[in-house]
């Protein structure tokens, strides 16, 4: 913001087509430079996305374009898009520019950081070190989150992605006393308002930064709000030395915003109508989420799966960058299994006996084997009944059904709506209970007594 070129006239508006503004420049600005016009005294920020000629650029407006007209002067901010950063950002609800959305005064900015930046040096990167316990049984057991890693929650509409990501946010802040950054990409205002109040009531807002780009805003805002959240996470990691939890809801809307911008810029669509730059845009976001010697960034990202099709190009582009993949299944939700995690399709690159330890790996594999065998036999049971199975298979089915119900869990964040108090179960207790199920210690326990409980010790009492 201190450039000598800052706040000088750089050109005039040639055309305004929705959020697309073409500008004739006296000197062509670099890509991603932030320009602005001031119709009616209100600043409208324009980000340069494409060069159309020697002195002709195409920009995307990050504010409403009402009032812009041909011939209006365009000013140069002297830098790319930047946001204010400082320790006082914690506890605040902000927009893509770092301006407050919580009706309070702007926080004191100690510095400004650009949104578009390269990843940190490879020599300073730090590998994933350990499992990050969440207290959520099915996740800790079968698809553990990794401290300093990236986790994706994949699912269609209405299967519980936002509830799970909010519960994880609540759990990590309570269990690990870290700080978190929540980036809401294309959020509905109702969801954002409820989440903000939930975080305040839970008492975790003082250690949280919330950044929102709402569904009705420009595609440029929805395309950049994820980078705003990531920039705050990098600041908390590098300057304050914090272990940061970065939550993004929803990465698919980031892809959609990029697709809108691509069409507005006049690019030819590629596979299934997505932008030809899909892979590079996802990589620009994902590769910056990393841990360094100063601190770690652990990322959890909700990913909408269009039409429940896991082969969608956007889903595959995101999946390639993740360490852990949690798949939420509509079939599980229809059975009343919450969280609706599909235990056979969810996986983690860290499911390795050397990383998890021999006991955790062995128990997780045994649970998967029981659940996989039960799924194989479901059609036979539906047609002929469980009595038609061999004794060994009946025993496996009984234990698998109890394990399936045991891996359900009431959440803290929905307890006001369900009337059931949320529970958090340590990983060691989960392993003890699963070993007991596999040995047959709970064969006489009614299946209903395993449903929506914490540990089996709680079920017995």
């Amino acid at each position: 913001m201190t450039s000598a070129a800052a706040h000088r006239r750089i050109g005039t508006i040639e055309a305004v087509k929705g959020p697309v503004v073409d500008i004739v420049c006296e000197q062509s600005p670099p890509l991603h430079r932030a320009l602005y016009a001031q119709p009616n005294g209100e600043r409208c920020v324009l980000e340069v996305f494409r060069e159309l000629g020697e002195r002709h650029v195409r920009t995307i407006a990050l504010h409403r374009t009402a009032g812009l007209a041909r011939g209006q002067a365009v000013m140069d901010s002297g830098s790319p898009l930047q946001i204010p950063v400082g320790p006082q950002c914690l506890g605040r609800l902000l927009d893509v520019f770092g301006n407050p959305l919580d009706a309070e005064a702007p926080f004191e900015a100690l510095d400004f950081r650009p949104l578009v930046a390269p990843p940190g040096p490879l020599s300073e990167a730090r590998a994933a070190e350990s499992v990050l316990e969440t207290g959520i049984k099915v996740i800790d057991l079968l698809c553990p989150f990794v401290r300093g890693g990236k986790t994706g929650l994949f699912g269609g509409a209405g299967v519980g992605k936002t509830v799970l990501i909010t519960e994880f946010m609540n759990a990590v802040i309570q269990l690990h006393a870290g700080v978190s950054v929540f980036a809401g990409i294309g959020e509905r205002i109702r969801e954002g308002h409820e989440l903000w109040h939930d975080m305040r009531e839970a008492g975790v807002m003082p250690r949280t930064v919330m950044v929102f780009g709402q569904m009705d805003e420009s595609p440029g805002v929805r395309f950049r709000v994820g980078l705003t959240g990531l920039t705050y996470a990098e600041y908390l990691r590098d300057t304050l030395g914090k272990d940061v939890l970065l939550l993004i809801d929803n990465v698919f809307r980031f892809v959609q915003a990029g697709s809108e911008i691509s069409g507005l810029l006049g690019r030819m669509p590629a596979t299934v109508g997505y932008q030809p730059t899909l892979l590079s845009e996802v990589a620009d976001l994902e590769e910056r989420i990393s841990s360094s010697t100063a601190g770690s960034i652990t990322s959890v990202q909700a990913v909408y799966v269009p039409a429940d099709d896991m082969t969608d190009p956007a889903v595959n582009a995101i999946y390639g960058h993740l360490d852990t993949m949690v798949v939420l299944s509509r079939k599980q939700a229809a059975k009343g299994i919450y969280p609706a995690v599909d235990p056979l399709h969810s996986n983690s690159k860290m499911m390795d006996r050397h990383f998890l330890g021999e006991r955790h790996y062995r128990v997780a594999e045994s649970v998967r084997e029981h659940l996989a065998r039960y799924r194989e036999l479901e059609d036979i049971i539906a047609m002929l009944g469980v009595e038609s199975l061999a004794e060994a298979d009946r025993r496996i089915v009984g234990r698998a059904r109890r394990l399936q119900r045991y891996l359900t869990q009431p959440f803290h964040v929905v307890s006001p709506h369900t009337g059931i108090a949320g529970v958090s179960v340590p990983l060691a207790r989960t392993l003890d209970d699963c070993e007991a199920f596999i040995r047959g210690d709970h064969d006489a326990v009614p299946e209903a007594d395993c449903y929506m409980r914490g540990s089996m010790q709680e079920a017995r009492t």
Side-chain angles (χ1 to χ4, degrees):
M1 303 294 280
T2 58
S3 168
H7 310 298
R8 68 173 179 81
R9 178 183 170 124
I10 195 172
T12 57
I13 294 175
E14 181 188 51
V16 181
K17 296 169 280 189
V20 178
V21 181
D22 290 348
I23 300 171
V24 177
C25 301
E26 298 164 6
Q27 182 179 358
S28 187
L31 291 178
H32 306 305
R33 175 64 65 91
L35 315 178
Y36 64 93
Q38 290 185 298
N40 308 319
E42 295 182 5
R43 178 175 292 199
C44 176
V45 176
L46 312 168
E47 183 178 1
V48 178
F49 270 92
R50 188 173 185 183
E51 294 181 354
L52 300 177
E54 186 177 350
R55 296 183 178 178
H56 193 187
V57 296
R58 179 161 289 173
T59 67
I60 298 293
L62 275 70
H63 294 91
R64 299 190 186 278
T65 54
L68 294 183
R70 293 185 67 182
Q72 275 186 348
V74 176
M75 311 299 287
D76 184 3
S77 71
S79 68
L81 283 171
Q82 293 187 330
I83 58 169
V85 294
Q88 293 180 8
C89 66
L90 287 168
R92 301 304 302 271
L93 180 67
L94 307 171
D95 67 8
V96 68
F97 305 104
N99 299 321
L101 293 174
D102 49 13
E104 296 182 22
F107 65 88
E108 182 182 352
L110 299 185
D111 194 8
F112 285 84
R113 285 197 169 204
L115 293 189
V116 180
L122 195 61
S123 59
E124 296 180 10
R126 201 173 73 195
E129 296 174 351
S130 60
V131 170
L132 183 67
E133 284 193 39
T134 66
I136 303 170
K137 293 181 288 189
V138 65
I139 287 177
D140 287 346
L141 176 68
L142 298 177
C143 40
F145 289 0
V146 182
R147 187 185 299 275
K150 294 189 277 270
T151 298
L153 308 179
F154 293 81
V159 295
K161 296 185 299 298
T162 300
V163 170
L164 189 55
I165 205 170
T166 310
E167 177 71 12
F168 180 65
M169 183 178 183
N170 181 68
V172 167
I173 291 174
Q174 298 288 2
L175 293 174
H176 301 279
V179 297
S180 65
V181 178
F182 182 93
I185 303 177
E187 284 286 291
R188 303 170 184 88
I189 190 169
R190 169 186 58 80
E191 292 178 343
H193 185 262
E194 289 175 357
L195 181 60
W196 179 46
H197 280 284
D198 289 344
M199 291 298 104
R200 293 173 71 185
E201 290 169 8
V204 298
M205 197 62 204
R207 297 194 296 277
T208 304
V209 183
M210 300 186 77
V211 183
F212 280 99
Q214 296 174 33
M215 193 172 276
D216 64 333
E217 296 191 78
S218 158
V221 169
R222 287 180 274 121
F223 189 64
R224 289 303 186 210
V225 71
L227 291 181
T228 299
L230 177 55
T231 303
Y232 279 116
E234 289 175 333
Y235 169 76
L236 294 170
R237 178 197 66 189
D238 298 337
T239 307
L240 303 184
K242 299 286 189 180
D243 287 332
V244 185
L245 173 65
L246 173 64
L247 301 113
I248 304 177
D249 186 11
N250 182 306
V251 182
F252 183 77
R253 295 197 193 112
F254 163 78
V255 172
Q256 281 184 312
S259 183
E260 286 182 54
I261 289 173
S262 181
L264 292 168
L265 295 176
R267 295 181 185 137
M268 186 70 71
T271 311
V272 199
Y274 287 112
Q275 62 269 41
T277 53
L278 170 65
L279 295 176
S280 61
E281 287 174 4
V282 171
D284 286 342
L285 175 69
E286 298 286 355
E287 290 303 298
R288 278 178 62 186
I289 303 174
S290 62
S291 300
S292 70
T293 51
S296 68
I297 297 179
T298 303
S299 173
V300 182
Q301 308 166 22
V303 184
Y304 170 71
V305 180
D308 294 335
D309 179 14
M310 292 297 294
T311 64
D312 186 86
V315 174
N316 280 327
I318 298 164
Y319 172 64
H321 293 275
L322 303 176
D323 299 301
T324 300
M325 178 178 177
V326 180
V327 179
L328 301 178
S329 162
R330 201 171 299 281
K331 289 182 179 178
Q332 294 285 89
K335 295 175 183 177
I337 305 297
Y338 290 102
V341 175
D342 187 325
L344 301 183
H345 287 104
S346 303
N347 59 69
S348 173
K349 293 178 181 175
M350 301 303 178
M351 281 298 293
D352 179 272
R353 55 170 43 93
H354 301 294
F355 184 81
L356 298 180
E358 181 64 38
R359 185 192 180 207
H360 185 169
Y361 180 82
R362 174 173 46 78
V363 172
E365 289 301 297
S366 296
V367 170
R368 281 188 202 275
E369 288 170 8
H370 278 68
L371 294 174
R373 183 58 178 160
Y374 175 41
R375 186 165 294 184
E376 289 173 4
L377 296 171
E378 276 185 321
D379 289 341
I380 296 174
I381 294 169
M383 291 185 293
L384 303 175
V386 71
E387 294 79 10
S388 63
L389 301 178
E391 177 63 30
D393 284 339
R394 281 206 299 272
R395 193 162 50 245
I396 288 174
V397 166
R399 291 172 185 173
R401 287 175 62 89
R402 287 172 176 81
L403 279 166
Q404 188 180 58
R405 282 150 182 77
Y406 169 75
L407 293 176
T408 62
Q409 189 168 339
F411 282 169
H412 294 87
V413 294
V414 294
S415 58
H417 308 288
T418 61
I420 305 172
V423 295
S424 179
V425 183
L427 175 59
R429 174 64 65 185
T430 301
L431 295 177
D432 289 342
D433 288 343
C434 289
E435 281 182 327
F437 276 111
I438 292 165
R439 286 196 307 265
D441 295 357
H442 299 307
D443 285 357
V445 176
E447 292 177 9
D449 287 352
C450 304
Y451 181 67
M452 283 294 170
R453 298 281 195 271
S455 65
M456 286 308 294
Q457 183 179 2
E458 176 192 332
R460 286 194 295 270
T461 56

